Amino acid sequence: MSSSPPTASLAGLIEELSAIEAKSSQQEYIVEHSQFWERKVVLGIADAVVKMAREDIVRAERLADAATWLSEVLKDDFCRARSARSSGNVQVLQGKNKEALLTYQKSYELFRQLSEEVEAAITLSSSLQPLIYLGSYGEAYERAQKARTVFELHHDTLRLARLDVNVGNILHRQDRFKEALVSYERALGHLEELGQHRDCAIVWANMAVCHISLNDFMHAQDAYLKARLISERENMPNLVAQADYNIAYLYFLRGEHMHAIQLYQETREYCDRVGDKYHTALCDLDQSEMYLELNLIQEASRLAQQAFSGFEDLGMEYEAAKALVFLGISAYQEHKVFRALELLGKAQDRMRQEQNNVWVAVLDLYQALVLHHEGRTYEARRASKRAKEFFSSQAASGKSILTDLLEAVLLLEVGDAAAALACCQSALRAAKKINSPALLSQAYWVLGGIQESTKDDQNAYTSYSEALAEWEVIPNRRNAEELKIPFIRNDLALYEGLVSLGATFNQSLAQREAIFEVIEKAKSRELAGMLAFRAHSLPAPSGTHSGLVEQVKNLREELNWYYRQVDLAEFRNTESAAGQAQGLRQAIREREEVLLRMLVEMRGTDEEFYAVQIASITPIGEIQNLLRTDEILLEYFHARGLYYVCLLNRDRLEVIPLTRTEMVRDLIRSLDAQFSKMQSGATNIHKSGADLLEGALATLRDLNTELVEPIDDHLKGKRLIVVPDGPLHYVPFHALFDGSRFLTDKHVISYAGSASLYFLSSMKKASSHGPDLILEPKVSDESMSRDASLQFIQFLPDATIFRGAKANAKALESNAAGNRFIHLVAELNVRQDNPILSTISLGDSPKTILDLFHLRFPCQVMGLTGTGPGLRATGNGEEIHVLARGLEYAGARALLMPLWNTNREPLGIFLNGFYRRAASETDKAKAMQAAMAEVRAVHAHPFEWASFILRGYSERAE
């Protein structure tokens, strides 16, 4: 053998070996370069593995294989031990923890046989990380102490610092975050002095994780940025990916879901390229949790399954169990109850093996909730009791209170109202003690249910009112004392209870106004709930108070962080967890008070921003002052299976019960069947034309009987402003038929999302003489082709027209200033699981309805063609309501929008008639009425003339 090779030659060898993919080719290369057959080369390669593992795990693995093979050629046990340790390091980064432990053990035994106690101690220190991942904390501490004794004996400062890092990792895994930080900070001081920058990057990343768990967002973000900066400078792309993953997690914790999802996706793609299976699985797990919160169940299920498979392969039981939890919740949301219970049970078995008692109890609670919602009361009680046994020792915890509340509900279901009341009152006292509005709201809700069951309706109404007051302490509250399987399945059940009970009392004016206010709050809260995950990022429509808007954004993000931290704190089974959670609740209350003050300050100049943020409503007196003497507002609301209508004019308010919700759904289903025959082309068969019309009129007559006939005496001589609710969003009220006339023949009709939204629409400024704008992206439906849109262009001579890819959001906003009419020919792709993420075609890329809230195009009328969702008897009209609300928020004073998509000729006649009249007629509702009559003169079937509604403030001459 030759003397030691030159460094440049060794560097070249390492570069060449790391580039050779096949082991056989690699071995041939080494054989051809026999001058490298010596210990120094093997050790050089092993050292290179450690460095390269943070840069390119695949090339590092090739080097580790080369070092192992060359060690065997040399028959050198020291080289064998060093090569084995380098292979273990690679396996840890690949997530192969069990394999890594075996490899480290081989290295350790060889070093011991050679009496190389420092090298043996280094191997022990390296082996701590896979032990941590596998949950073997006791063994990890034993190995750490053995290594520390050796390093202290040899005064090895560098090795002691690296050992402190590994010990910090053990402490962090056990939720001992403050102790972990002490260990990390001690290590960081020595590593910086020694110039070990790559080690410093790792420590900064680990410290950031601790800061997250200690609710210190600013220090966490700063630590991640330092880790990322060093990692980029030191060419450590794996650590860059890890930092990016954790920065994405920070965005997740702060409620910036869209930004987090983008970062997770970028990180996942990188991890896939470099073989980092651990962080790939973590990305899948976190994104799955986010998608559950966004109610995107299919995506959540897919990613949870990917995460489970990834962690299963890595032998990481805790993380795999969490993935099973998310799979179980996804299955439940998809109404696969047996599958959900099976998955939650499997997750619980794994958590039990991990000795994670908090998760075992939480999963008992989850299973109890599923069983309760499915009416399996006795099974639910057994699971609930198991959860209660654990949480009873944590009286100040939110989950303890929820367990008591569930027990109260279950006791009521088996007929023991007295025991249910005692259990509920105990939970209520505990909720008051920790002063949690979310828990207080649920406690008062359960108390009201118990009181109602014993016919104590007045006290039940009072309890429901208390629940509502607590629920509305702060708008858009997310992750605050909430479970991933909700305690109350129907988000509007509280509002429904108040309306249903209130309607049974003596109908004084004050009581009627209270019912109307609850209905308005329900409609406002429903939208606020859908917007909650992005409320912090919504712009103010007026564009003013940018400083306050930014403060609101930052405060909401901070609150999202704290809401989630309360939940995370309760998953830590430590003595300090309850105190930490209570401290977080106090911090939440303080910040919520500041947020409310900011929003109130903005209200005077940006009422619409305030309304969305706070889920506020307009006082009834202001709405009545807006209504003219010949106008009446019909606000429908369904509560506990029954429809009510509020009739509001300038000087009177009535609340009248009407019909069963299921009756309405059946009639919508029937109407949809009638209209489907029209869509199939049956009108070409002359014999069936009259039958088709007669069938549709019969259903419209039945709908009129249920929804309008009971209140007909109140409507005589009035213009109607219809506020639908639930499935009524699909009903063309103007086409309701009394046997001889349609409702539009008797009344001028417009629509609104709520009385408060009608008021907000009236406050919008819009030009009545400005230019017009038409956008026609490429659409697939022939009935929405260019020929249809061209038929009304001649009546908008000043219109600017964009087609195809040019008809995009940029064109819309760039040309929106001062417009009178804007018309968009588009398609709506409805997401039934989360309607606000439904998409509308707008140029070269679809926009979600949520995106519309970020656009600005003030106009008098925004017209839509092709966005009709159709009559969905099983739906609740959210897609119609949120689409309209997004366009209203963006600046439209009134909306011309279809409930279903019609054929080309009737569509052209209608648009022709509406825009011709609207160009000169101030009263847009009358223009709508006349345009429908024009279509009816040619096409008698309501399918062809009744598809459009005019929503918002329709203008009228003074």
Side-chain angles (χ1 to χ4, degrees):
M1 292 186 184
S2 61
S3 60
S4 297
T7 304
S9 298
L10 178 57
L13 171 72
I14 290 170
E15 181 66 27
E16 290 286 345
L17 285 174
S18 68
I20 300 173
E21 296 183 10
K23 287 186 179 180
S24 58
S25 300
Q26 198 179 63
Q27 291 164 11
E28 287 174 9
Y29 181 87
I30 295 173
V31 170
E32 291 172 2
H33 296 79
S34 58
Q35 70 270 27
F36 294 120
W37 292 14
E38 60 176 276
R39 174 182 286 191
K40 184 173 182 179
V41 172
V42 176
L43 302 184
I45 296 173
D47 288 339
V49 170
V50 177
K51 181 177 185 298
M52 188 169 287
R54 293 288 180 181
E55 301 171 5
D56 189 328
I57 194 70
V58 175
R59 291 167 73 95
E61 185 177 21
R62 293 172 192 160
L63 284 180
D65 289 341
T68 299
W69 189 80
L70 186 51
S71 298
E72 293 303 321
V73 171
L74 297 177
K75 299 180 180 180
D76 185 325
D77 282 346
F78 188 86
C79 290
R80 285 172 174 143
R82 283 290 303 276
S83 300
R85 191 167 71 211
S86 67
S87 293
N89 293 339
V90 170
Q91 288 167 334
V92 171
L93 291 173
Q94 291 174 324
K96 300 175 181 178
N97 296 300
K98 291 180 180 178
E99 294 93 325
L101 277 179
L102 293 174
T103 307
Y104 283 136
Q105 188 63 31
K106 177 182 176 182
S107 173
Y108 176 69
E109 293 297 339
L110 285 169
F111 282 132
R112 283 191 63 195
Q113 292 169 15
L114 296 169
S115 299
E116 294 283 352
E117 66 172 2
V118 173
E119 292 291 344
I122 294 171
T123 305
L124 285 175
S125 182
S126 300
S127 70
L128 300 184
Q129 200 60 42
L131 286 170
I132 294 168
Y133 287 141
L134 294 171
S136 300
Y137 306 124
E139 187 176 350
Y141 279 122
E142 287 179 13
R143 293 191 182 192
Q145 189 53 51
K146 287 180 181 178
R148 186 179 299 280
T149 300
V150 174
F151 295 149
E152 287 177 346
L153 180 64
H154 291 267
H155 306 289
D156 193 332
T157 305
L158 175 60
R159 302 303 177 190
L160 282 168
R162 288 175 174 168
L163 180 63
D164 277 334
V165 175
N166 290 335
V167 171
N169 294 344
I170 304 173
L171 292 164
H172 167 259
R173 189 77 170 188
Q174 294 183 303
D175 295 341
R176 295 160 63 180
F177 305 111
K178 290 183 179 179
E179 295 172 77
L181 273 178
V182 171
S183 191
Y184 289 142
E185 287 167 353
R186 183 170 60 242
L188 185 63
H190 293 303
L191 292 169
E192 286 178 338
E193 288 177 6
L194 295 168
Q196 298 295 319
H197 303 299
R198 297 168 71 86
D199 291 87
C200 291
I202 296 168
V203 177
W204 278 117
N206 293 349
M207 289 173 67
V209 177
C210 286
H211 286 306
I212 289 175
S213 302
L214 292 170
N215 315 309
D216 191 343
F217 174 81
M218 297 307 295
H219 279 103
Q221 188 175 45
D222 182 58
Y224 276 132
L225 291 174
K226 287 178 178 175
R228 198 182 195 286
L229 181 66
I230 298 171
S231 300
E232 283 189 314
R233 189 175 66 229
E234 296 291 321
N235 190 26
M236 302 168 69
N238 278 27
L239 199 58
V240 170
Q242 181 181 333
D244 284 342
Y245 159 77
N246 285 293
I247 291 170
Y249 184 62
L250 287 184
Y251 282 117
F252 174 25
L253 292 180
R254 285 173 69 87
E256 296 185 73
H257 293 84
M258 297 309 177
H259 200 165
I261 287 170
Q262 180 182 350
L263 279 175
Y264 278 130
Q265 185 60 33
E266 292 171 0
T267 304
R268 182 189 291 104
E269 290 172 359
Y270 177 82
C271 291
D272 286 341
R273 287 199 304 273
V274 301
D276 188 342
K277 295 181 180 179
Y278 173 61
H279 283 100
T280 297
L282 280 178
C283 287
D284 290 338
L285 189 67
D286 286 358
Q287 249 186 287
S288 173
E289 186 174 7
M290 274 192 290
Y291 281 140
L292 279 176
E293 292 182 4
L294 299 177
N295 204 38
L296 301 177
I297 306 305
Q298 291 183 352
E299 291 93 332
S301 179
R302 176 178 58 81
L303 287 172
Q305 182 61 60
Q306 287 179 195
F308 174 72
S309 298
F311 289 126
E312 187 84 337
D313 290 342
L314 296 171
M316 302 180 71
E317 291 292 324
Y318 171 78
E319 288 80 1
K322 279 191 70 175
L324 281 175
V325 173
F326 297 158
L327 274 172
I329 294 169
S330 298
Y332 176 66
Q333 297 295 347
E334 293 178 304
H335 308 292
K336 301 174 182 176
V337 177
F338 291 108
R339 178 63 174 159
L341 290 170
E342 177 189 9
L343 289 165
L344 294 174
K346 288 181 177 179
Q348 188 176 44
D349 289 341
R350 288 175 180 249
M351 289 298 186
R352 192 174 285 114
Q353 291 171 8
E354 287 286 294
Q355 299 182 341
N356 192 317
N357 295 328
V358 177
W359 261 113
V360 170
V362 168
L363 285 162
D364 273 326
L365 183 54
Y366 281 173
Q367 290 172 87
L369 285 165
V370 172
L371 292 164
H372 159 57
H373 292 324
E374 294 302 310
R376 296 162 62 177
T377 303
Y378 290 97
E379 294 171 86
R381 284 202 71 192
R382 286 195 292 270
S384 176
K385 284 179 178 178
R386 290 194 298 269
K388 186 176 175 64
E389 285 175 9
F390 176 82
F391 288 121
S392 60
S393 62
Q394 302 177 356
S397 81
K399 290 177 179 57
S400 172
I401 294 169
L402 287 171
T403 304
D404 282 341
L405 291 175
L406 177 58
E407 180 68 11
V409 171
L410 295 173
L411 284 166
L412 185 63
E413 288 181 357
V414 297
D416 195 342
L421 181 62
C423 192
C424 179
Q425 288 174 334
S426 173
L428 182 59
R429 286 192 295 271
K432 287 179 178 178
K433 186 175 180 180
I434 65 175
N435 194 17
S436 166
L439 292 171
L440 280 167
S441 176
Q442 293 178 82
Y444 279 119
W445 161 249
V446 173
L447 178 60
I450 296 169
Q451 292 164 332
E452 193 175 359
S453 74
T454 58
K455 310 301 182 185
D456 188 1
D457 289 350
Q458 191 61 60
N459 279 328
Y461 187 85
T462 300
S463 294
Y464 289 151
S465 298
E466 292 277 8
L468 185 60
E470 295 293 345
W471 180 245
E472 296 189 330
V473 164
I474 193 69
N476 299 338
R477 176 187 286 268
R478 299 289 290 184
N479 300 310
E481 314 286 358
E482 293 179 4
L483 294 168
K484 294 189 183 299
I485 294 177
F487 184 75
I488 301 173
R489 201 170 189 179
N490 176 7
D491 288 341
L492 298 181
L494 178 55
Y495 300 89
E496 291 185 24
L498 281 165
V499 170
S500 180
L501 266 183
T504 65
F505 300 149
N506 291 329
Q507 290 289 300
S508 65
L509 176 60
Q511 185 62 49
R512 294 196 298 273
E513 288 184 349
I515 293 172
F516 180 79
E517 183 178 279
V518 169
I519 289 172
E520 280 284 287
K521 286 180 176 181
K523 292 177 185 291
S524 182
R525 174 62 64 172
E526 186 175 26
L527 178 67
M530 285 187 276
L531 283 171
F533 73 103
R534 287 301 296 274
H536 65 281
S537 66
L538 293 182
S542 68
T544 60
H545 287 277
S546 58
L548 273 177
V549 171
E550 188 63 25
Q551 289 180 58
V552 168
K553 175 181 182 296
N554 291 335
L555 199 49
R556 276 207 175 279
E557 289 173 359
E558 193 173 346
L559 278 167
N560 283 329
W561 166 278
Y562 276 97
Y563 293 149
R564 190 172 295 279
Q565 294 309 304
V566 171
D567 188 56
L568 293 175
E570 292 205 340
F571 273 95
R572 299 176 192 132
N573 190 16
T574 62
E575 294 181 2
S576 62
Q580 186 182 10
Q582 187 58 15
L584 289 166
R585 293 186 186 100
Q586 179 61 36
I588 286 170
R589 286 192 295 275
E590 292 169 357
R591 284 158 178 79
E592 286 179 342
E593 289 172 2
V594 174
L595 175 61
L596 286 170
R597 288 198 297 270
M598 285 182 180
L599 290 171
V600 170
E601 186 177 342
M602 294 185 67
R603 184 175 193 178
T605 53
D606 216 321
E607 181 77 20
E608 190 143 24
F609 181 77
Y610 177 82
V612 170
Q613 293 287 328
I614 204 80
S616 69
I617 63 174
T618 303
I620 188 171
E622 294 184 32
I623 297 168
Q624 288 181 303
N625 290 337
L626 175 66
L627 297 173
R628 302 194 183 190
T629 55
D630 64 341
E631 292 178 328
I632 187 168
L633 186 142
L634 287 63
E635 181 147 4
Y636 291 86
F637 186 72
H638 67 106
R640 296 181 173 179
L642 185 66
Y643 260 110
Y644 299 83
V645 64
C646 297
L647 303 175
L648 182 70
N649 58 25
R650 284 188 69 89
D651 53 16
R652 190 172 178 81
L653 170 65
E654 298 290 341
V655 180
I656 300 172
L658 289 176
T659 185
R660 292 182 297 108
T661 307
E662 279 309 307
M663 170 72 77
V664 172
R665 290 194 186 276
D666 287 342
L667 290 173
I668 293 173
R669 193 175 290 111
S670 174
L671 188 63
D672 183 39
Q674 297 290 334
F675 284 3
S676 295
K677 297 174 185 177
M678 294 294 294
Q679 289 173 312
S680 67
T683 48
N684 293 327
I685 304 172
H686 295 294
K687 288 185 178 180
S688 66
D691 292 340
L692 289 173
L693 178 59
E694 184 177 345
L697 292 180
T699 304
L700 290 166
R701 184 168 57 244
D702 290 342
L703 280 166
N704 186 79
T705 300
E706 300 298 324
L707 299 172
V708 176
E709 191 175 292
I711 57 174
D712 203 35
D713 289 344
H714 296 272
L715 309 184
K716 295 185 185 303
K718 299 289 188 181
R719 293 169 61 106
L720 310 184
I721 302 163
V722 179
V723 179
D725 185 62
L728 292 188
H729 280 289
Y730 305 110
V731 173
F733 277 82
H734 46 277
L736 298 188
F737 189 58
D738 67 3
S740 60
R741 291 190 297 170
F742 294 101
L743 200 60
T744 186
D745 296 328
K746 299 186 286 184
H747 306 278
V748 177
I749 302 171
S750 64
Y751 295 76
S754 69
S756 297
L757 290 178
Y758 182 73
F759 180 85
L760 288 176
S761 292
S762 74
M763 305 295 289
K764 295 180 187 299
K765 306 298 180 185
S767 171
S768 58
H769 304 288
D772 305 313
L773 180 64
I774 299 171
L775 289 94
E776 187 180 14
K778 182 180 179 181
V779 295
S780 59
D781 191 334
E782 185 181 355
S783 70
M784 294 181 289
S785 67
R786 182 185 304 180
D787 291 343
S789 62
L790 283 173
Q791 293 189 55
F792 65 86
I793 292 174
Q794 59 183 305
F795 300 102
L796 302 176
D798 297 325
T800 301
I801 305 172
F802 291 90
R803 292 195 175 95
K806 294 181 180 179
N808 54 32
K810 182 178 179 181
L812 182 58
E813 288 207 284
S814 299
N815 295 274
N819 277 297
R820 176 182 57 168
F821 304 145
I822 299 175
H823 193 93
L824 177 62
V825 182
E827 290 174 297
L828 179 67
N829 182 22
V830 176
R831 285 207 63 141
Q832 296 181 16
D833 51 359
N834 193 341
I836 205 160
L837 294 180
S838 299
T839 56
I840 186 170
S841 59
L842 198 58
D844 50 6
S845 63
K847 296 290 182 183
T848 66
I849 291 175
L850 182 62
D851 292 328
L852 299 178
F853 283 82
H854 294 262
L855 302 179
R856 287 291 159 265
F857 40 80
C859 59
Q860 195 177 81
V861 178
M862 162 66 81
L864 297 171
T865 311
T867 59
L871 307 185
R872 293 179 49 236
T874 58
N876 282 309
E878 295 103 327
E879 69 276 26
I880 297 171
H881 183 46
V882 296
L883 173 60
R885 189 67 189 101
L887 295 169
E888 289 166 347
Y889 196 80
R893 197 175 196 195
L895 298 166
L896 181 70
M897 56 192 303
L899 299 179
W900 62 88
N901 297 325
T902 50
N903 300 319
R904 182 189 298 182
E905 183 187 352
L907 175 63
I909 297 172
F910 174 77
L911 294 175
N912 179 325
F914 176 79
Y915 282 109
R916 183 178 71 247
R917 292 176 175 84
S920 57
E921 170 66 66
T922 302
D923 194 334
K924 302 302 181 291
K926 274 194 172 182
M928 172 88 167
Q929 183 185 48
M932 287 190 293
E934 190 174 343
V935 181
R936 278 172 56 197
V938 183
H939 300 278
H941 200 289
F943 172 80
E944 297 181 309
W945 63 262
S947 69
F948 280 85
I949 63 170
L950 186 71
R951 168 168 157 155
Y953 195 70
S954 62
E955 309 283 345
R956 288 179 68 181
E958 294 296 335

